[in-house]
Amino acid sequence: QVQLVESGGGLVQPGASLRLSCLFSEATFSMGWFRQSPGAKREFVAALSGSGTTKYYGDSAKGRFTISRDDDKSMMYLQMNSLRPGDTAVYYCAADRVTVRAGVDQVDFWGQGTQVTVSS
């Protein structure tokens, strides 16, 4: 079974950067990132195709976040720049046998989440 472990969250000021990491136990067809704020539904942030060559971003992430994957290190990353208070959320690593973009309810595997707080 797939195991996913996120790290790299923390408290930062607006405009700062963070890089989240996700360690995975085995290769998957598709991987990505979601986030969830208190009282809100889990939201799509970014995803990679199974080959890792195609990248997809939610509207809030475009131009600021970059998703990448290093199979030699079994790691997926989310580089987040120009962070805003609205980015405050628990960020979850996700994996799916087909595509994580099918929707939250269709994702096969989840990490435990890592907290990102953007505040002055």
Side-chain angles (χ1 to χ4, degrees):
Q1 62 184 41
V2 174
Q3 299 277 353
L4 304 170
V5 182
E6 304 98 328
S7 62
L11 172 63
V12 298
Q13 294 185 325
S17 298
L18 280 175
R19 187 180 72 169
L20 305 183
S21 300
C22 175
L23 176 68
F24 53 89
S25 61
E26 60 183 88
T28 63
F29 292 101
S30 176
M31 297 186 68
W33 293 92
F34 291 74
R35 68 186 186 186
Q36 187 167 19
S37 301
K41 296 180 178 179
R42 194 163 296 187
E43 174 192 14
F44 171 74
V45 176
L48 287 166
S49 63
S51 66
T53 59
T54 305
K55 301 177 181 180
Y56 306 89
Y57 297 98
D59 290 340
S60 64
K62 293 178 180 177
R64 299 189 300 126
F65 296 179
T66 303
I67 188 171
S68 61
R69 176 172 160 176
D70 186 341
D71 287 336
D72 291 336
K73 297 182 178 180
S74 297
M75 295 288 284
M76 181 179 68
Y77 305 100
L78 183 67
Q79 177 67 45
M80 305 187 293
N81 298 327
S82 302
L83 285 164
R84 305 189 290 247
D87 297 318
T88 296
V90 177
Y91 284 71
Y92 296 91
C93 180
D96 194 88
R97 287 168 287 185
V98 180
T99 175
V100 298
R101 295 181 293 114
V104 170
D105 294 339
Q106 283 72 52
V107 170
D108 292 325
F109 306 101
W110 294 102
Q112 82 289 344
T114 184
Q115 176 71 48
V116 172
T117 302
V118 184
S119 177
S120 59

